[in-house]
Amino acid sequence: REMRYWMNYVAKAALSTTMMQLMHSLLSAEDATNDDFHNALKRLPMEQKEAFSLQQEGFSLAEISHICHVPQETIKTRLRYAKEKLKKALEEKQ
């Protein structure tokens, strides 16, 4: 049980760095757009950022649910809100 908590802690600690590297590699637009996206991503609540990042890394809903210790429906909600907030933030910048 302690190992699971430790692994979860390590995963969350590495998530910020991994997420930023992943998002940077996924975006091929100009620097201003990248900066806007990164700023919008930073403003997401941690739970939404975590779910979004894990999905971008290729994890399934079931896997994300298991990692985050919440039901799949909760993950779907977090992803929906994260995507809505990112879209809105990027639209405001245009």
Side-chain angles (χ1 to χ4, degrees):
R1 188 173 182 159
E2 289 178 23
M3 179 64 121
R4 183 176 71 192
Y5 290 115
W6 179 81
M7 289 175 60
N8 193 25
Y9 172 79
V10 170
K12 284 184 178 184
L15 185 59
S16 296
T17 304
T18 302
M19 176 181 51
M20 295 309 253
Q21 291 170 343
L22 177 65
M23 293 302 112
H24 183 66
S25 67
L26 290 176
L27 293 173
S28 60
E30 60 190 51
D31 290 339
T33 303
N34 285 338
D35 290 342
D36 293 341
F37 181 81
H38 288 284
N39 289 332
L41 196 58
K42 288 178 187 177
R43 289 192 303 266
L44 289 178
M46 182 58 190
E47 292 85 6
Q48 292 174 15
K49 193 183 316 182
E50 178 180 47
F52 181 80
S53 299
L54 289 170
Q55 185 182 52
Q56 295 304 307
E57 290 182 31
F59 288 95
S60 69
L61 289 175
E63 292 168 327
I64 299 169
S65 174
H66 181 74
I67 291 167
C68 297
H69 308 290
V70 297
Q72 284 188 40
E73 292 303 315
T74 301
I75 296 301
K76 288 179 186 179
T77 301
R78 290 176 181 178
L79 289 169
R80 186 179 78 242
Y81 285 137
K83 291 174 184 178
E84 287 172 0
K85 288 178 183 179
L86 290 170
K87 181 179 177 183
K88 183 178 178 182
L90 293 175
E91 287 173 346
E92 289 173 357
K93 292 292 183 179
Q94 292 179 352

